[in-house]
């Protein structure tokens, strides 16, 4: 069986942006113009195809990334619409890991917003080529120039405008294509007909200026074009596109388009750009993986003839078919009914069905090829980040690393029946969402669920009630504090017990040292001359890890510590793994207590947009929350405040900012880093924990 669409005509793209930049509205237009849907679903009416969850339709935001397939000019485009809200950052991260290209959408009034920067950095991390679309140019206060300038200043100097709007706000008539130097008008039902005309007189001078800037930038990426440009020769549209595509694939240039998705202007230019400028699976570097047995590096190319390998990037619970496992095929092909190896667990899985997804609808396939994105049902032991591959040539592809949760709430089922349902339901949700965690508080016996923010936990509580029919009481949000040390210290512990017959003996000497924020934990074995036998080193590390989980100040997990095991002793008969584990744990506690331990708290990056009248109140309110103002700027008659505020001080901020500004201000926040808690607050945290 051969594939319908050759590899070079395949595009795997994602739409990424700050919350409310219009991603879903934009996606709905793409589906309409490519004939996937016959009417446009509007977000404000709760009818968007890509926002299929009840919670998404009610709130008008995207919560999970939805996948769909569409066709444009003989190309197959697999599209993933990702959430903009930072609480659902895992959705963006896992989507970017498996995509070959991205369309970044910006609000034409606000330009680059904080979460636009976050998704941009995530795309940089996975080296995803991208194109930009400045949306909402029909809104009051929209400005293409300002938005374009904010991309240059805040994100990349490599942005190049390839279209500009003819008019803004209610006068937005169409866009000028700077490559063809033609005016494009979008007429007919929902702007479906693209009418190409000469550029009107009033826009000619501006078009020439933007065209010259574009040619300079594009020509700078190619010697032959530079020569032509300097000699003043005519450069054709084809030449511009060829060099632009090459530059996009090498992350050298990022083309910027413009329009208004809601008013159906400029959207088809993005479909053309996806086909002409973004990479096919053949244009991206081959996937590097490791051999599960030897650890040797293995390369997998996008080809149907190579051994099969695929990365699982998402697990979703579907009310009709059960657990859906989404995967991206990197090499080879997969047939229905075949067996594959999960290289991470070593277990075999049977692929009973292969599905191509369209939001929450499904199309059955018999076979799926390299470069495609698909889903399967009923896998037993496969979770996000696992590699599925051919049994005869196993490989583990690079995993996806997710951020740690920063906020938790207590959850208490109302009845015995709810208790059982809760455990099952939470297990399903943790499989789906790697940034959602559950743990038992051993001292109080309470169940604590943690996530990326108040909205994240709010949605989870809502899903538990509606989807899984679990009735429960929820506590107040709690901050996920951490502990660390501030200096170097040594710890020594001898664990010796005699209980008739064989005793227990373990003797450990270690050093603890602080590491920089976010560097994690490192265990170094510097035992020389066999003072501790090899088989007891691992148990010492286990003991240290267990002690770090419990912390030494207020019972919070310790982070960013380097532990060096440098000496100790053992007994020929009495030494055991258990004894060294206990000795390691006790030696670490002793050293950590001597190393001036401190409590760390999550700090959030916050942006508040407020009318000028309330500017003073907003600033003083942020300061009263231990916030630091980073900078203030202006945006269309509004003041923008960028600040850093501890998470513990932001609970209920939505309500207080509303009452402070008569409901006219808006804010967004995202996790920034862990910082040391001031000593007076640390004492309150310790006392609160003891209660």
């Amino acid at each position: 069986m051969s594939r319908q669409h050759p590899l070079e005509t395949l595009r795997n793209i994602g739409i990424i942006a700050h919350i409310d930049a219009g991603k879903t509205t934009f996606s709905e237009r793409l589906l309409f113009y490519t004939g996937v849907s016959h009417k446009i679903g509007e977000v404000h009416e709760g009818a968007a195809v890509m926002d299929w969850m009840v919670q998404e339709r009610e709130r008008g935001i995207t919560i999970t990334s939805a996948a769909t397939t569409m066709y444009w000019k003989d190309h197959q485009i697999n599209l993933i619409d990702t959430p903009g809200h930072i609480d659902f950052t895992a959705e963006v991260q896992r989507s970017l890991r498996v995509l070959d290209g991205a369309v970044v959408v910006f609000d034409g009034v606000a330009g680059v917003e904080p979460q636009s920067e976050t998704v941009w950095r995530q795309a940089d991390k996975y080296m995803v080529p991208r194109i930009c679309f400045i949306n909402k140019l029909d809104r009051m206060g929209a400005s293409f120039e300002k938005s374009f300038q904010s991309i240059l200043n805040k994100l990349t100097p490599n942005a190049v405008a390839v279209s500009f709007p003819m008019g803004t706000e209610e006068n937005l008539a169409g866009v000028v294509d700077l490559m063809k130097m033609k005016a494009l008008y979008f007429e007919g039902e929902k702007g479906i007909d693209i009418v190409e005309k000469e550029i009107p007189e009033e826009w000619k001078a501006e078009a020439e200026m933007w065209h010259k800037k574009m040619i300079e930038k594009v020509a700078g990426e190619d010697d032959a074009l530079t020569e032509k440009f300097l000699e003043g020769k005519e450069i054709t549209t084809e030449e511009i596109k060829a060099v632009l595509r090459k530059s996009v694939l090498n992350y050298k240039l990022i083309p910027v388009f413009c329009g208004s998705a809601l008013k159906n202007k400029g959207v088809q230019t993005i479909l053309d750009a996806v086909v002409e400028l973004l990479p096919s699976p053949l244009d991206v570097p081959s996937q590097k993986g490791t051999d599960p047995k030897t650890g040797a590096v293995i390369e997998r190319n996008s080809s149907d003839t190579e051994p099969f390998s695929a990365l699982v990037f998402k697990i979703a619970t579907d009310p009709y078919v059960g657990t859906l496992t989404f995967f991206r095929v990197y090499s080879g092909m997969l047939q229905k009914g075949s067996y594959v190896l999960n290289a991470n667990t070593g277990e075999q899985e049977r692929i009973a069905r292969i599905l191509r997804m369209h939001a929450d609808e499904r199309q059955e396939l018999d076979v799926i090829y390299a470069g495609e994105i698909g889903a399967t049902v009923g896998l037993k032991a496969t979770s996000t980040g696992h590699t599925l591959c051919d049994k005869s040539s196993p490989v583990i592809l690079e995993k996806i690393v997710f951020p740690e949760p920063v906020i938790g709430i207590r959850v208490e089922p109302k009845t015995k029946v709810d208790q059982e349902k809760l455990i099952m339901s939470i297990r399903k949700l943790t499989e789906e969402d790697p940034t959602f965690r559950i743990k038992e508080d051993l001292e109080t016996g309470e169940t604590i669920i943690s996530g990326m923010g108040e909205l994240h936990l709010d949605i989870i509580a809502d899903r538990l009630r509606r989807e899984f029919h679990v009735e429960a009481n929820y506590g107040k949000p709690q901050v996920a504090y951490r502990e660390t040390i501030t200096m170097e210290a040594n710890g020594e512990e001898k664990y010796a017990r005699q209980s008739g017959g064989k005793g227990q003996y373990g003797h450990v000497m270690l050093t603890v040292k602080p590491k920089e924020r976010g560097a994690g934990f490192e265990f170094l074995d510097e035992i020389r001359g066999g003072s501790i036998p090899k088989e007891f080193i691992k148990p010492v590390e286990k003991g240290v890890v267990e002690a770090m989980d419990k912390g030494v100040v207020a019972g919070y997990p310790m982070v960013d510590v380097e532990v060096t095991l440098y000496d100790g002793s053992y007994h020929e008969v009495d030494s055991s793994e258990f004894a060294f584990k206990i000795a390691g744990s006790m030696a670490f506690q002793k050293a950590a207590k001597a190393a001036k331990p401190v409590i760390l708290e999550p700090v959030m990056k916050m942006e508040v947009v407020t009318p000028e009248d309330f500017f003073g109140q907003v600033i003083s309110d942020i300061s009263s929350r231990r916030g630091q103002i980073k900078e203030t700027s202006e945006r269309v008659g509004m003041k923008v405040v960028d600040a850093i505020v501890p998470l513990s001080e932001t609970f209920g901020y939505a309500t207080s900012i509303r009452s402070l500004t008569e409901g006219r201000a808006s804010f967004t926040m995202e996790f920034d880093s862990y910082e040391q808690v001031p000593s007076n607050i640390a004492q309150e945290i310790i006392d609160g924990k003891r209660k």
Side-chain angles (χ1 to χ4, degrees):
M1 233 176 118
S2 63
R3 58 162 68 233
Q4 283 172 304
H5 286 262
L7 252 177
E8 58 273 14
T9 64
L10 191 61
R11 299 287 180 274
N12 291 313
I13 64 157
I15 296 181
I16 58 176
H18 180 92
I19 189 167
D20 246 3
K23 285 182 310 303
T24 302
T25 304
F26 179 67
S27 304
E28 293 296 318
R29 296 309 182 270
L30 298 183
L31 296 182
F32 177 71
Y33 294 134
T34 54
V36 174
S37 52
H38 304 294
K39 71 179 195 21
I40 292 177
E42 299 295 7
V43 176
H44 53 265
E45 292 166 5
V49 177
M50 300 298 272
D51 284 351
W52 55 272
M53 282 172 72
V54 186
Q55 291 85 351
E56 296 180 308
R57 293 193 165 177
E58 284 178 354
R59 294 161 199 253
I61 59 169
T62 304
I63 294 167
T64 64
S65 47
T68 189
T69 302
M70 52 199 182
Y71 300 91
W72 182 256
K73 296 188 175 171
D74 295 327
H75 283 65
Q76 178 183 327
I77 301 172
N78 296 324
L79 171 85
I80 296 183
D81 174 25
T82 65
H85 200 289
I86 202 66
D87 282 13
F88 310 109
T89 181
E91 290 288 336
V92 183
Q93 219 148 316
R94 56 172 155 207
S95 302
L96 283 171
R97 168 67 180 84
V98 296
L99 292 171
D100 300 329
V103 179
V104 192
V105 181
F106 297 95
D107 181 327
V109 180
V112 174
E113 297 170 274
Q115 286 156 24
S116 330
E117 293 185 53
T118 307
V119 294
W120 192 272
R121 285 197 302 273
Q122 288 174 335
D124 280 342
K125 178 181 161 191
Y126 292 115
M127 295 179 82
V128 177
R130 64 212 86 143
I131 54 182
C132 300
F133 181 68
I134 295 175
N135 189 20
K136 299 196 177 186
L137 288 174
D138 58 311
R139 275 183 62 199
M140 276 268 304
S143 162
F144 174 72
E145 287 82 0
K146 273 190 184 161
S147 300
F148 180 66
Q149 200 52 51
S150 70
I151 294 174
L152 289 175
N153 296 346
K154 292 184 175 177
L155 300 178
T156 173
N158 300 337
V160 53
V162 290
S163 73
F164 85 91
M166 293 185 283
T168 45
E169 300 180 2
E170 71 272 21
N171 301 322
L172 178 66
V175 301
V176 172
D177 180 335
L178 294 168
M179 289 187 270
K180 290 182 184 167
M181 282 305 271
K182 292 278 190 222
L184 304 180
Y185 297 91
F186 301 87
E187 295 174 3
E189 191 213 346
K190 308 283 190 196
I192 200 158
D193 303 318
I194 307 168
V195 181
E196 220 175 81
K197 294 182 183 171
E198 290 306 316
I199 300 168
E201 249 349 281
E202 60 190 294
W203 298 109
K204 272 217 164 114
E206 200 174 338
E208 284 299 337
M209 177 200 76
W210 282 106
H211 180 72
K212 190 162 179 268
K213 281 186 185 173
M214 178 196 74
I215 293 288
E216 269 181 42
K217 214 150 192 180
V218 175
E221 296 299 323
D222 182 84
D223 295 344
L225 270 201
T226 306
E227 217 166 286
K228 257 188 141 174
F229 176 69
L230 293 173
E231 288 169 9
K233 287 183 183 166
E234 185 69 32
I235 294 176
T236 66
T237 309
E238 274 57 48
E239 287 176 313
I240 296 170
K241 278 186 183 164
V243 173
L244 192 54
R245 179 164 209 265
K246 206 168 112 192
S247 311
V248 169
L249 300 188
N250 297 329
Y251 322 107
K252 293 274 173 50
L253 288 180
I254 291 163
V256 179
F257 295 81
C258 63
S260 159
L262 191 64
K263 293 286 186 279
N264 310 309
K265 288 182 174 28
V267 177
Q268 295 97 314
T269 59
I270 290 290
L271 282 167
D272 288 340
V274 165
V275 164
E276 290 166 0
L277 303 175
L278 287 179
S280 76
L282 294 173
D283 298 314
V284 291
S286 58
Q287 279 295 311
K288 285 191 170 51
T290 51
D291 186 312
K293 287 197 174 74
T294 64
V297 175
I298 300 174
E299 281 200 21
R300 285 277 191 269
N301 296 305
S302 275
S303 158
D304 298 340
T305 55
E306 291 232 341
F308 170 72
S309 67
L311 184 75
V312 172
F313 67 94
K314 179 177 160 76
I315 306 284
T317 306
D318 185 293
Y320 303 106
V321 296
T323 305
L324 274 173
T325 304
F326 286 81
F327 57 89
R328 153 82 193 256
V329 183
Y330 280 105
S331 62
M333 48 199 256
L334 178 65
Q335 283 191 321
K336 197 166 88 172
S338 58
Y339 282 88
V340 293
L341 175 74
N342 178 331
N344 299 73
T345 62
E347 290 187 33
Q348 284 197 33
E349 296 270 23
R350 183 172 180 270
I351 306 294
R353 292 166 73 189
I354 300 173
L355 307 170
R356 179 173 287 150
M357 298 303 292
H358 170 45
D360 61 339
E361 293 170 9
R362 297 164 292 279
Q363 176 195 347
E364 297 271 352
L365 300 175
D366 290 327
V367 62
I368 191 165
Y369 298 93
E372 296 251 24
I373 289 174
T376 185
V377 182
L379 298 192
K380 300 281 185 292
T382 299
S383 56
T384 303
H386 283 181
T387 302
L388 298 175
C389 59
D390 191 326
K391 298 181 297 235
S392 55
S393 49
V395 61
I396 295 179
L397 299 172
E398 184 201 347
K399 281 189 81 163
I400 313 170
V401 179
F402 294 105
E404 288 292 313
V406 292
I407 177 174
I409 50 173
R410 275 197 328 276
V411 54
E412 197 178 273
K414 287 188 176 173
T415 65
K416 189 90 178 93
V417 178
D418 286 322
Q419 170 83 44
E420 284 156 20
K421 275 201 275 184
L422 179 77
I423 303 299
M424 292 284 294
S425 315
I426 285 183
R427 192 173 296 138
K428 277 186 181 165
L429 289 172
T430 47
E431 277 173 14
E432 263 184 52
D433 183 351
T435 57
F436 171 56
R437 305 277 166 82
I438 173 171
K439 72 168 200 203
E440 285 280 319
D441 189 321
L442 295 174
E443 290 166 22
T444 59
E446 293 170 325
T447 302
I448 293 170
I449 56 174
S450 323
M452 297 307 293
E454 282 186 274
L455 179 66
H456 189 191
L457 293 178
D458 192 19
I459 298 283
I460 280 179
D462 196 29
R463 287 188 66 191
L464 283 171
R465 185 170 57 82
R466 286 199 205 177
E467 255 174 71
F468 299 102
H469 312 294
V470 175
E471 292 299 327
N473 297 319
Y474 297 93
K476 284 198 177 120
Q478 305 169 349
V479 179
Y481 292 107
R482 296 282 182 266
E483 297 178 14
T484 192
I485 54 174
T486 54
M487 56 179 276
E488 196 173 320
N490 291 337
E492 179 180 358
E493 194 62 53
K494 197 175 274 184
Y495 179 76
R497 295 284 181 277
Q498 203 66 45
S499 52
K502 189 175 181 295
Q504 295 284 1
Y505 182 89
H507 175 210
V508 168
M509 295 157 85
L510 49 78
T511 306
V512 295
K513 224 189 250 179
K515 293 183 80 166
E516 57 190 68
R517 277 299 155 274
F521 162 67
E522 192 178 3
F523 183 82
L524 302 174
D525 165 20
E526 288 191 1
I527 293 294
R528 298 286 172 270
S531 56
I532 297 178
K534 272 274 176 276
E535 67 265 27
F536 297 138
I537 306 289
K538 218 45 185 155
V540 172
E541 186 180 345
K542 255 193 193 150
V544 168
V545 170
E546 278 181 20
M548 281 181 69
D549 269 350
K550 296 194 188 90
V552 295
V553 186
Y556 293 105
M558 294 202 97
V559 292
D560 308 333
V561 179
E562 182 188 285
V563 177
T564 307
L565 174 64
Y566 65 90
D567 205 359
S569 63
Y570 72 105
H571 186 279
E572 288 286 354
V573 179
D574 291 352
S575 281
S576 68
E577 290 189 2
F578 172 76
F580 272 99
K581 186 172 143 185
I582 302 274
S585 174
M586 288 158 73
F588 174 80
Q589 284 174 354
K590 195 179 269 184
K593 281 174 186 160
K596 293 205 173 149
V598 291
I599 296 178
L600 302 173
E601 64 180 343
V603 172
M604 310 303 277
K605 198 158 63 173
M606 186 187 277
E607 182 191 74
V608 185
V609 182
T610 172
E612 211 151 319
D613 317 356
F614 307 106
F615 184 58
Q617 291 100 300
V618 168
I619 293 275
S620 61
D621 179 58
I622 289 173
S623 304
S624 73
R625 294 169 183 274
R626 299 194 283 129
Q628 295 169 356
I629 309 295
K630 287 288 181 205
E631 67 168 331
T632 60
S633 54
E634 304 244 348
R635 186 189 292 164
V636 204
M638 303 286 263
K639 285 278 196 187
V640 182
V641 183
D642 286 310
I644 295 281
V645 188
L647 174 65
S648 58
E649 305 288 342
T650 64
F651 294 145
Y653 186 66
T655 315
S656 61
I657 188 92
R658 270 189 218 121
S659 56
L660 206 60
T661 62
E662 297 170 8
R664 289 166 62 196
S666 64
F667 78 99
T668 55
M669 63 179 184
E670 59 177 283
F671 172 69
D672 185 66
S673 59
Y674 269 96
E675 300 296 335
Q676 191 173 329
V677 177
S679 52
N680 58 327
I681 309 255
Q683 199 48 54
E684 283 174 27
I685 294 169
I686 295 165
D687 297 343
K689 191 78 174 167
R690 283 185 191 141
K691 268 183 220 162

